[in-house]
C-alpha cells in the first residue's frame, strides 16, 4: 500500500467526496439520461486518475464542483 502524506490524503478524500456528490446529483437526472451522465462522471474521474500534480488536482476539484453546481441548478429548474 502506498503511503500518502497528509496533503495527499486530504486531496484524495476531497476527490472521493466530489465523486459521490456527482453521482448523487446524476441520480436526480431523468431516467433516459441518467446512465449516460453517470458514465460521463466515471469517465472524467478515470481520465484524471493518475494525476499526481496537487495543484492540478485542486483545480480539477474546483472545476468539478462548479460543473456539479451547474447541473444541480439545471435539474432544479427542470423540476427534477
Amino acid at each position: 500500500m502506498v503511503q500518502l502524506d497528509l496533503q495527499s490524503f486530504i486531496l484524495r478524500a476531497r476527490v472521493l467526496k466530489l465523486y459521490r456528490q456527482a453521482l448523487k446529483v446524476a441520480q436526480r437526472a431523468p431516467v433516459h439520461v441518467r446512465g449516460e451522465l453517470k458514465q460521463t462522471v466515471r469517465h472524467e474521474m478515470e481520465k484524471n486518475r493518475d494525476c499526481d500534480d496537487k495543484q492540478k488536482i485542486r483545480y480539477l476539484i474546483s472545476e468539478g464542483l462548479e460543473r456539479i453546481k451547474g447541473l444541480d441548478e439545471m435539474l432544479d429548474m427542470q423540476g427534477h
Side-chain angles (χ1 to χ4, degrees):
M1 186 171 172
V2 176
Q3 285 282 332
L4 298 176
D5 62 2
L6 180 60
Q7 192 175 33
S8 296
F9 179 80
I10 291 169
L11 280 176
R12 182 178 185 275
R14 289 181 62 201
V15 168
L16 292 173
K17 181 179 179 183
L18 175 69
Y19 183 60
R20 286 191 300 270
Q21 286 175 324
L23 291 178
K24 188 175 180 181
V25 170
Q27 189 63 33
R28 292 181 44 221
V31 176
H32 64 280
V33 296
R34 192 176 298 158
E36 183 180 347
L37 189 54
K38 286 182 178 183
Q39 191 175 30
T40 301
V41 168
R42 182 174 176 90
H43 173 75
E44 288 295 317
M45 292 301 232
E46 288 290 332
K47 183 171 72 174
N48 296 297
R49 179 183 205 132
D50 295 324
C51 179
D52 56 3
D53 178 352
K54 291 176 182 161
Q55 186 172 0
K56 183 176 181 184
I57 294 170
R58 282 188 209 90
Y59 169 77
L60 290 168
I61 290 170
S62 73
E63 186 73 21
L65 288 170
E66 287 298 317
R67 290 173 74 178
I68 290 171
K69 181 180 173 187
L71 178 61
D72 194 38
E73 289 172 355
M74 184 182 72
L75 291 170
D76 280 346
M77 286 189 285
Q78 293 178 350
H80 294 285

